[in-house]
Amino acid sequence: METQNLLNRLIENNISLSSVNGQPFLYPDKLKLNDDELAMLEAHLHESEGAKTLIGEKVSNIAESCKNDMAVYYNGDFISFHELEIRSNLVANYLQSHEMVKNEAIAVCMSKSIDLIAVMLGIFKSGSRYLPIDKKLPADRVKYILSDSKAKYLIQNDENLSYLLNDDLQNIEIVSADKVI
């Protein structure tokens, strides 16, 4: 189960996806991905406008045939592929219903969790770009990342980043992960 292993490893490792001049890239040394996993993520990150969401499509296909198999295990808890499919589709549908534009950056500030994987997968399925925000970063750095990325949404769970929204960042909607999953 190559996709299952990738999903589990993304949650176990520091996830570090970013962009330079609007072009996404990743730091494979921080993700500790093997060549196949790296190729899968790079293919998704660099997909063309008409291409299908590779990771989302793979998980959906697995969910059809292995509904009750464990998809993600973290900290003693797990969910099946069927549950992951439902949760990630809820996120994708939420984003698409809120006039999200394809390839738009969706900022995420969440602790490592099963819900983080569902949110990431939902973002990929919606055609958006995943923009991780580390809660340990200084406020000025977070403000710069949000401003530079032109993110319109910030999905968070236990972190409260509303203090960051000053006059420059009023266009960002902060959404609780509980609201989208």
Side-chain angles (χ1 to χ4, degrees):
M1 302 249 93
E2 184 178 310
T3 304
Q4 178 181 358
N5 291 337
L6 175 60
L7 293 172
N8 284 330
R9 291 184 62 215
L10 284 172
I11 200 169
E12 290 169 2
N13 295 290
N14 291 330
I15 301 163
S16 184
L17 305 176
S18 188
S19 68
V20 172
N21 296 328
Q23 296 300 313
F25 70 97
L26 62 124
Y27 297 101
D29 55 320
K30 292 190 179 195
L31 288 172
K32 300 175 185 152
L33 300 176
N34 66 37
D35 290 341
D36 291 338
E37 293 168 330
L38 182 60
M40 187 187 314
L41 267 182
E42 285 179 338
H44 173 74
L45 291 171
H46 295 287
E47 70 183 356
S48 65
E49 191 67 25
K52 293 184 178 177
T53 304
L54 300 178
I55 293 174
E57 184 178 341
K58 282 190 172 211
V59 171
S60 295
N61 290 339
I62 292 170
E64 286 179 24
S65 60
C66 305
K67 287 183 180 187
N68 297 320
D69 289 356
M70 180 173 51
V72 181
Y73 177 87
Y74 180 72
N75 211 18
D77 198 13
F78 69 93
I79 61 171
S80 68
F81 276 99
H82 180 70
E83 292 171 289
L84 180 61
E85 179 74 357
I86 290 170
R87 290 184 189 189
S88 63
N89 284 342
L90 287 171
V91 174
N93 291 337
Y94 177 88
L95 293 171
Q96 291 170 342
S97 71
H98 284 79
E99 300 178 13
M100 177 276 315
V101 178
K102 189 168 177 80
N103 283 326
E104 184 172 71
I106 306 296
V108 177
C109 185
M110 295 177 64
S111 299
K112 291 180 182 180
S113 65
I114 290 173
D115 285 343
L116 173 61
I117 296 298
V119 167
M120 286 175 52
L121 188 57
I123 289 170
F124 293 153
K125 285 181 174 187
S126 75
S128 301
R129 291 179 290 124
Y130 169 70
L131 176 66
I133 303 292
D134 187 342
K135 65 182 176 183
K136 297 174 188 168
L137 289 174
D140 287 344
R141 178 69 178 140
V142 173
K143 287 178 186 179
Y144 173 79
I145 292 169
L146 292 173
S147 175
D148 187 55
S149 69
K150 297 179 177 72
K152 292 182 182 173
Y153 295 97
L154 171 63
I155 300 173
Q156 63 181 21
N157 56 3
D158 54 322
E159 293 76 24
N160 184 359
L161 299 178
S162 59
Y163 68 92
L164 295 173
L165 301 184
N166 57 20
D167 294 336
D168 300 330
L169 299 174
Q170 285 183 348
N171 61 330
I172 297 176
E173 180 181 342
I174 296 181
V175 180
S176 169
D178 293 336
K179 183 176 179 179
V180 297
I181 295 182

